[in-house]
């Protein structure tokens, strides 16, 4: 049976990019194999974060996992920090990933660019080591993520090959990133040449936004010159991004979405995109409220944590044995 693993880090309010690129797809895998979906709370400490905000955000992400259709009876939902095997394995694996390759990671370079050299924690630099541990610990075959995380899965694959060459085939399982065809990279609404990210309030749609906020943001999204609704990310990044959002939520191809709006003006097209986003997020929000009000979120995470520890021990022991610690 295939193992599927993915996680979201609770560093900010979840965005439509997180939803389309990752969250929305997780439930599609729950019948295909055994899924492990977690909250990457240790990763959230790699940049400064308020403790109360972090605590609330962890619970919120768990509730959004449930709201997105993940069934806690089929999927193991848990918090990374409550499964100590992640940290234990990361301490071993850090010896097999090298400074040069870590310093070439785009996510590290982007984050470090905005920081004073003396404010870059070791954890930010070593981020891919912990992420590799997250993935291999569950012998994951498939890792559904947005496009920005593929580099981290690639470095995990390099690590797996390195370990298997040195300690024998089967020491670690080789994972593969699974990127959705439509919606792998949702762009900022205020600057469609940049990725929509949790830290960009103007260009983001948050999963908790009200219909009024969503409509306002989409109607004022930056668009391009010309008047045709066509997919051309290079010359029409704004319109292409909105087409991508529409197609991903309607679950149609980009070509079908283009056909739907072949005779539409920008205003009419934006209104249709806003309608789709509002209806998707209203339904998601009511399931999210139900999850929070059920009072069961904590118990679900506790149950997941127990199962995760059990599974994680198998890989950790195998690695400890391979390297000579057992
Ligand atoms: P994070 O929390 O930044 O993002 C969670 C998921 O959302 C996707 N995503 C997007 N997809 C499309 N368009 C966007 N604008 C967009 N923004 C974010 C991300 O690609 C991701 O899939 N390092 C990870 C968390 C993590 C993890 C793991 C993931 C830690 N360990 C192990 C998979 C496996 C992260 O920071 O994701």
């Amino acid at each position: 049976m295939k193992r599927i693993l993915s996680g979201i880090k609770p560093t900010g309010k979840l965005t439509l990019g997180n939803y389309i690129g990752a969250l929305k797809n997780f439930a599609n895998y729950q019948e295909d194999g055994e899924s492990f979906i977690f909250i990457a709370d240790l990763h959230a400490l790699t940049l400064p974060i308020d403790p109360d905000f972090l605590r609330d955000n962890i619970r919120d992400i768990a509730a959004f996992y449930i709201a997105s259709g993940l069934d806690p009876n089929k999927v193991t939902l848990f918090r990374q920090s409550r499964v100590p095997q992640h940290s234990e394995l990361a301490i071993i694996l850090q010896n097999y990933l090298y400074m040069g390759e870590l310093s070439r990671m785009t996510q590290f370079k982007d984050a470090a660019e905005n920081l004073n050299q003396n404010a870059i924690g070791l954890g930010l630099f070593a981020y891919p080591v912990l992420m590799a541990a997250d993935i291999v610990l569950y012998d994951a075959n498939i890792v559904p993520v947005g496009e920005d995380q593929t580099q981290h899965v690639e470095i995990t694959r390099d690590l797996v090959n390195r370990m298997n060459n040195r300690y024998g085939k089967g020491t670690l399982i080789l994972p593969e990133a699974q990127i959705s065809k439509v919606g792998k990279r949702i762009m900022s609404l205020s600057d469609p040449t940049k990725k929509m990210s949790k830290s960009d309030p103007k260009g983001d749609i948050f999963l908790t936004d009200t219909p009024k906020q969503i409509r306002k943001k989409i109607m004022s999204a930056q668009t391009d010159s010309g008047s045709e609704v066509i997919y051309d990310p290079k010359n029409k990044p704004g319109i292409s991004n909105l087409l991508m959002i529409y197609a991903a939520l309607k679950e149609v191809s980009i070509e079908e979405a283009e056909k739907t709006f072949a005779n539409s003006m920008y205003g009419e097209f934006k209104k249709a995109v806003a309608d789709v986003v509002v209806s998707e997020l209203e339904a998601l929000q009511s399931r999210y409220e139900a999850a929070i009000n059920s009072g069961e979120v904590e118990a679900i995470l506790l149950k997941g944590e127990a199962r995760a520890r059990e599974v994680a021990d198998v890989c950790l022991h195998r690695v400890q044995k391979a390297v000579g610690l057992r």
Side-chain angles (χ1 to χ4, degrees), residues 5-9 15 17-18 21-22 38 40 43 107 127 131 134-135 143-149 152 183-187 195-196 198:
L5 173 129
S6 199
I8 297 181
K9 89 183 166 282
T15 70
N18 296 129
F38 70 102
H43 277 113
Q107 189 167 306
Y127 189 108
M131 180 154 164
D134 299 338
I135 296 172
V143 185
V145 281
E147 193 180 47
D148 62 328
Q149 294 300 317
H152 288 152
K184 59 187 179 200
R185 192 176 192 85
I186 301 298
M187 309 306 274
K195 188 189 78 171
M196 184 183 280
K198 294 178 197 120

Coordinates of all heavy atoms in Angstrom, one line a residue, residues 5-9 15 17-18 21-22 38 40 43 107 127 131 134-135 143-149 152 183-187 195-196 198, ligand 1:
L5 N 2.3 11.5 2.3 CA 2.6 12.4 3.4 C 2.7 13.8 2.9 O 3.3 14.1 1.9 CB 4.0 12.0 4.0 CG 4.4 13.0 5.1 CD1 4.8 12.3 6.4 CD2 5.5 13.9 4.6
S6 N 2.1 14.7 3.7 CA 2.3 16.1 3.5 C 2.0 16.9 4.8 O 1.4 16.4 5.7 CB 1.4 16.7 2.3 OG 2.0 17.9 1.9
G7 N 2.4 18.2 4.7 CA 2.2 19.0 5.9 C 2.2 20.5 5.5 O 2.5 20.9 4.4
I8 N 1.6 21.3 6.5 CA 1.6 22.7 6.3 C 2.2 23.4 7.5 O 1.9 22.9 8.6 CB 0.1 23.2 6.1 CG1 -0.5 22.6 4.8 CG2 0.0 24.7 6.0 CD1 -1.9 22.9 4.5
K9 N 2.9 24.5 7.3 CA 3.5 25.1 8.5 C 2.6 26.2 9.0 O 2.2 27.0 8.2 CB 5.0 25.4 8.3 CG 5.3 26.7 7.7 CD 6.9 26.7 7.5 CE 7.2 27.9 6.6 NZ 7.0 28.0 5.3
T15 N -3.8 30.5 3.1 CA -4.3 31.3 1.9 C -5.0 30.4 0.9 O -4.8 29.1 0.9 CB -3.1 31.9 1.2 OG1 -2.3 30.9 0.6 CG2 -2.2 32.7 2.2
G17 N -3.8 30.0 -2.0 CA -2.7 29.3 -2.6 C -2.4 27.9 -1.8 O -2.3 26.9 -2.5
N18 N -2.4 28.0 -0.5 CA -2.3 26.7 0.3 C -3.4 25.8 0.0 O -3.2 24.6 -0.1 CB -2.3 27.0 1.8 CG -1.2 27.9 2.3 OD1 -1.4 28.9 3.0 ND2 0.1 27.5 1.9
G21 N -3.1 24.6 -4.0 CA -1.9 23.9 -4.2 C -1.7 22.7 -3.4 O -1.0 21.7 -3.8
A22 N -2.3 22.6 -2.2 CA -2.1 21.5 -1.3 C -3.3 21.0 -0.7 O -3.8 19.9 -1.0 CB -1.0 21.9 -0.3
F38 N 0.2 16.3 8.5 CA 0.6 16.9 9.8 C 0.8 18.4 9.8 O 0.7 19.0 8.7 CB 1.9 16.2 10.3 CG 3.1 16.6 9.5 CD1 4.0 17.5 10.0 CD2 3.4 16.0 8.2 CE1 5.1 17.9 9.2 CE2 4.5 16.4 7.5 CZ 5.4 17.3 8.0
A40 N 3.3 21.3 10.6 CA 4.7 21.4 10.7 C 5.1 22.5 11.7 O 5.6 23.5 11.3 CB 5.3 21.6 9.3
H43 N 8.7 23.6 12.2 CA 9.2 24.4 11.1 C 8.7 25.9 11.3 O 9.3 26.8 10.8 CB 8.6 23.9 9.7 CG 9.5 22.8 9.2 ND1 9.0 21.5 9.0 CD2 10.7 22.8 8.7 CE1 10.0 20.8 8.5 NE2 11.0 21.5 8.2
Q107 N 14.0 28.7 -1.1 CA 13.3 29.2 0.0 C 14.2 29.8 1.1 O 13.9 30.8 1.6 CB 12.4 28.0 0.6 CG 11.5 28.5 1.7 CD 10.4 27.5 2.1 OE1 9.7 26.9 1.2 NE2 10.3 27.2 3.4
Y127 N 16.4 23.8 7.6 CA 15.0 23.5 7.3 C 14.8 22.3 6.4 O 14.0 21.4 6.8 CB 14.4 24.8 6.6 CG 12.9 24.8 6.4 CD1 12.1 25.6 7.1 CD2 12.3 23.9 5.4 CE1 10.7 25.6 6.9 CE2 10.9 24.0 5.2 CZ 10.2 24.8 6.0 OH 8.8 24.8 5.8
M131 N 12.7 18.7 7.1 CA 11.6 18.3 6.1 C 11.9 16.9 5.5 O 11.0 16.1 5.3 CB 11.5 19.4 5.0 CG 10.4 19.1 4.0 SD 9.8 20.5 3.2 CE 8.9 19.8 1.8
D134 N 10.9 14.5 8.0 CA 9.4 14.3 8.0 C 8.9 13.3 7.0 O 8.1 12.5 7.2 CB 8.7 15.7 7.6 CG 9.0 16.8 8.5 OD1 9.4 16.6 9.7 OD2 8.9 18.0 8.1
I135 N 9.6 13.4 5.8 CA 9.1 12.6 4.7 C 9.5 11.2 4.8 O 8.7 10.2 4.7 CB 9.6 13.2 3.3 CG1 9.0 14.6 3.1 CG2 9.3 12.3 2.1 CD1 9.6 15.4 2.0
V143 N 4.3 12.7 -2.1 CA 4.3 13.9 -1.3 C 3.5 15.0 -2.1 O 4.1 15.6 -3.0 CB 5.7 14.4 -1.0 CG1 5.7 15.6 0.0 CG2 6.5 13.3 -0.3
P144 N 2.2 15.1 -1.9 CA 1.5 16.2 -2.6 C 1.8 17.6 -2.1 O 1.6 17.9 -0.9 CB 0.0 15.8 -2.4 CG 0.0 14.8 -1.3 CD 1.4 14.4 -0.9
V145 N 2.4 18.4 -2.9 CA 2.8 19.8 -2.5 C 2.6 20.7 -3.7 O 2.4 20.3 -4.8 CB 4.3 19.9 -2.1 CG1 4.5 19.3 -0.7 CG2 5.2 19.1 -3.1
G146 N 2.6 22.0 -3.4 CA 2.6 23.1 -4.4 C 4.1 23.1 -5.0 O 5.0 22.5 -4.5
E147 N 4.2 23.8 -6.1 CA 5.4 23.8 -6.9 C 6.6 24.3 -6.1 O 7.7 23.9 -6.2 CB 5.2 24.7 -8.1 CG 6.3 24.5 -9.2 CD 6.1 25.4 -10.4 OE1 5.7 26.6 -10.2 OE2 6.2 24.9 -11.5
D148 N 6.3 25.3 -5.2 CA 7.5 25.9 -4.4 C 8.2 24.9 -3.5 O 9.3 25.1 -3.0 CB 7.0 27.1 -3.6 CG 6.0 26.7 -2.6 OD1 5.2 25.7 -2.8 OD2 5.9 27.3 -1.5
Q149 N 7.6 23.7 -3.2 CA 8.2 22.8 -2.3 C 8.9 21.6 -3.1 O 9.5 20.8 -2.5 CB 7.2 22.1 -1.4 CG 6.5 23.1 -0.4 CD 7.6 23.7 0.5 OE1 8.5 23.1 1.0 NE2 7.5 25.1 0.7
H152 N 12.6 21.1 -2.2 CA 12.8 20.3 -0.9 C 12.6 18.8 -1.1 O 13.3 18.0 -0.4 CB 11.9 20.9 0.1 CG 12.3 22.3 0.6 ND1 11.4 23.2 1.1 CD2 13.5 22.9 0.7 CE1 12.0 24.3 1.5 NE2 13.3 24.1 1.2
G183 N -3.1 24.8 -10.8 CA -3.0 25.4 -9.4 C -1.8 25.2 -8.6 O -1.8 25.4 -7.4
K184 N -0.7 24.7 -9.3 CA 0.5 24.4 -8.6 C 1.2 25.6 -8.0 O 2.0 25.6 -7.1 CB 1.5 23.6 -9.5 CG 1.9 24.4 -10.7 CD 2.7 23.5 -11.6 CE 3.0 24.4 -12.8 NZ 3.4 23.7 -14.0
R185 N 0.9 26.8 -8.6 CA 1.5 28.1 -8.1 C 0.5 29.2 -8.3 O 0.4 29.8 -9.4 CB 2.8 28.3 -8.9 CG 3.6 29.4 -8.4 CD 4.9 29.5 -9.2 NE 5.9 30.3 -8.5 CZ 6.7 29.9 -7.6 NH1 6.7 28.6 -7.2 NH2 7.6 30.7 -7.0
I186 N -0.2 29.5 -7.2 CA -1.2 30.6 -7.3 C -0.4 31.9 -6.9 O 0.4 31.9 -6.0 CB -2.3 30.4 -6.3 CG1 -3.1 29.1 -6.6 CG2 -3.3 31.6 -6.2 CD1 -3.8 29.0 -7.9
M187 N -0.6 33.0 -7.7 CA 0.1 34.2 -7.6 C -0.6 35.2 -6.8 O -1.8 35.1 -6.6 CB 0.5 34.7 -9.0 CG 1.1 33.7 -9.9 SD 2.5 32.9 -9.3 CE 3.8 34.0 -9.7
K195 N 4.6 34.9 -5.9 CA 3.7 33.8 -5.4 C 2.8 34.4 -4.2 O 3.2 35.2 -3.5 CB 4.7 32.7 -4.8 CG 4.0 31.5 -4.3 CD 5.0 30.6 -3.6 CE 5.2 31.0 -2.2 NZ 6.0 30.1 -1.3
M196 N 1.6 33.9 -4.2 CA 0.7 34.2 -3.1 C 1.3 33.5 -1.8 O 1.5 32.3 -1.8 CB -0.7 33.7 -3.3 CG -1.7 34.1 -2.2 SD -3.4 33.5 -2.5 CE -4.1 34.6 -3.7
K198 N 1.7 33.5 2.8 CA 1.0 33.8 4.0 C 1.3 35.2 4.5 O 0.6 35.7 5.4 CB 1.3 32.7 5.1 CG 0.8 31.3 4.8 CD 1.2 30.4 5.9 CE 1.1 28.9 5.5 NZ 2.4 28.2 5.6
Ligands
LIG1 P1 3.8 25.9 3.5 O1 3.2 25.9 4.8 O2 4.5 27.1 3.0 O3 2.7 25.6 2.4 C1 1.8 24.5 2.5 C2 1.5 23.9 1.1 O4 0.9 25.0 0.3 C3 1.6 25.1 -0.9 N1 1.5 26.4 -1.4 C4 1.1 26.8 -2.6 N2 0.6 26.2 -3.6 C5 0.2 26.9 -4.7 N3 0.3 28.2 -4.8 C6 0.8 29.0 -3.8 N4 0.8 30.3 -3.8 C7 1.2 28.3 -2.6 N5 1.7 28.7 -1.4 C8 1.9 27.5 -0.7 C9 3.0 24.6 -0.6 O5 3.7 24.2 -1.8 C10 2.8 23.5 0.4 O6 2.5 22.3 -0.3 N6 7.9 23.1 4.0 C11 6.5 23.0 3.8 C12 5.9 22.3 5.0 C13 6.4 21.0 5.2 C14 6.2 19.8 4.4 C15 7.0 18.8 5.0 C16 5.5 19.6 3.3 C17 7.3 20.6 6.3 N7 7.6 19.3 6.2 C18 7.0 17.5 4.5 C19 5.5 18.3 2.7 C20 6.3 17.3 3.3 C21 6.0 24.5 3.8 O7 6.6 25.4 4.2 O8 4.7 24.6 3.3

